[in-house]
Amino acid sequence: MHYSLDYNITSGTFAKICNTTRDTLRYYHKQGILVPIQNSVNGYYYYNLAQISSFFFIKKLREIGCSTKDIKTYLLAGEKTRFDSFLENQYQILLKEREAIENRMQLLTHTVRFFNYVRHADHKVPQLLTLSKEATVTLSPLDSTFLHSSQPILDNVIIHLERMNNTTAQPYPFGAVFDVETFLDSSPTPKYIFSFVYEDSAEYCQNLYKLPSTNLLTYVQRDNEASLEMHLESFKNYIKKENYIPLSDVFSLMIVNIIDPVENGKYLRFSFVCV
């Protein structure tokens, strides 16, 4: 078929043929990627038949994420920019965007799962919880001088978060690990700062520790119900009373109260031990 290059299609007709709007045509005109001819007599703009093909070519590039600037660069570059190279570059951009979306989806999945665990454990007494799969944490040892510091754990938290920021792992939530022997026999002694690590980011983390059991004894309290010391004391007494045998150290963290954020304390203390 021979396409006439006569500019005799009005903007309204052209927009209707291409199922678009005049605003879109004006935008493309302003960007210099689909330029009509202005009639010197009536001042109206007209397109030609071949530009219908140009419009759908531009639309296709826009659908795969090309900016009007990129499109203009290609259209004006001629043989200097091969179209297959142009598309390959766009393909690589889309791959990175897909990877970013997949990472956000994984983060959302992990976050929902964790908060469901917290809700399951939200009772007046400790609750048994069975994880859907083995859990892994990354540990940052506490500096031996932390007990003599004016900011006992803060400096160690900062170090831990800096470590996490240098990986693809998520720093939230994080908490403290208490030696189980001193926890049961005397006052709790913190050993590490920890964060959960998921399969997709485990290879980027150091000091990994896989929980020895998927069975956890958990305990949730609001921050206005007990101090950390009282919370851990109650947890210890329950473990002894019910004759549980801990298989791990005791993990404890504080998170924003996602269960009833208005009524009963802004934060939740969430502690657990493998049994």
Side-chain angles (χ1 to χ4, degrees):
M1 177 183 294
H2 174 70
Y3 287 144
S4 170
L5 294 181
D6 294 335
Y7 286 80
N8 54 13
I9 306 175
T10 66
S11 297
T13 300
F14 192 89
K16 185 175 182 180
I17 293 171
C18 297
N19 192 30
T20 188
T21 65
R22 290 187 182 185
D23 285 343
T24 298
L25 296 180
R26 280 192 286 269
Y27 176 69
Y28 287 170
H29 180 188
K30 184 177 180 180
Q31 297 300 312
I33 58 177
L34 188 63
V35 181
I37 295 295
Q38 187 176 29
N39 186 296
S40 59
V41 177
N42 60 21
Y44 294 149
Y45 288 98
Y46 292 87
Y47 295 84
N48 65 39
L49 194 60
Q51 287 179 301
I52 295 175
S53 175
S54 295
F55 173 83
F56 284 104
F57 176 72
I58 293 168
K59 181 180 180 182
K60 185 62 65 178
L61 293 180
R62 294 285 284 164
E63 287 174 348
I64 62 175
C66 295
S67 68
T68 54
K69 181 180 179 180
D70 289 339
I71 295 171
K72 183 177 181 179
T73 298
Y74 169 73
L75 292 176
L76 297 180
E79 291 300 320
K80 294 181 181 179
T81 304
R82 289 180 55 85
F83 188 55
D84 52 354
S85 298
F86 180 78
L87 290 182
E88 176 61 26
N89 180 64
Q90 192 61 32
Y91 181 74
Q92 294 301 321
I93 292 174
L94 292 177
L95 282 181
K96 291 181 181 179
E97 291 179 355
R98 183 175 71 179
E99 181 179 357
I101 291 173
E102 289 175 347
N103 288 339
R104 289 196 293 270
M105 291 295 292
Q106 290 175 349
L107 175 60
L108 177 60
T109 299
H110 298 323
T111 302
V112 169
R113 182 182 300 136
F114 173 75
F115 284 154
N116 283 338
Y117 290 152
V118 175
R119 287 191 175 93
H120 174 86
D122 182 37
H123 294 275
K124 298 298 182 182
V125 295
Q127 299 290 309
L128 281 174
L129 170 68
T130 300
L131 302 179
S132 58
K133 57 170 58 177
E134 293 180 324
T136 302
V137 299
T138 180
L139 303 172
S140 295
L142 286 171
D143 189 293
S144 59
T145 62
F146 83 94
L147 289 176
H148 308 289
S149 169
S150 60
Q151 296 177 306
I153 296 184
L154 177 59
D155 292 340
N156 292 274
V157 169
I158 293 173
I159 294 172
H160 176 77
L161 295 181
E162 287 177 346
R163 281 187 54 231
M164 298 296 287
N165 288 335
N166 293 325
T167 73
T168 60
Q170 299 298 322
Y172 177 84
F174 67 89
V177 182
F178 295 89
D179 179 77
V180 68
E181 292 185 5
T182 57
F183 177 82
L184 293 176
D185 297 334
S186 58
S187 60
T189 303
K191 296 168 58 178
Y192 307 101
I193 303 296
F194 82 97
S195 289
F196 290 102
V197 176
Y198 305 105
E199 292 178 357
D200 50 296
S201 56
E203 62 180 297
Y204 302 101
C205 293
Q206 299 176 339
N207 299 331
L208 295 178
Y209 172 72
K210 183 175 289 187
L211 298 185
S213 171
T214 56
N215 295 319
L216 308 183
L217 183 64
T218 62
Y219 190 30
V220 171
Q221 281 188 303
R222 280 91 179 132
D223 63 310
N224 64 344
E225 293 176 341
S227 65
L228 175 60
E229 292 75 13
M230 293 172 60
H231 170 78
L232 294 177
E233 183 71 17
S234 296
F235 196 26
K236 175 181 71 175
N237 292 337
Y238 186 89
I239 293 171
K240 289 184 173 181
K241 176 184 176 183
E242 300 298 326
N243 295 318
Y244 280 104
I245 300 176
L247 302 178
S248 71
D249 288 328
V250 178
F251 296 78
S252 184
L253 48 84
M254 181 176 283
I255 59 173
V256 175
N257 189 343
I258 44 82
I259 299 174
D260 53 2
V262 177
E263 296 180 5
N264 294 309
K266 188 174 182 180
Y267 297 99
L268 298 176
R269 303 187 193 282
F270 177 67
S271 300
F272 64 88
V273 61
C274 294
V275 293

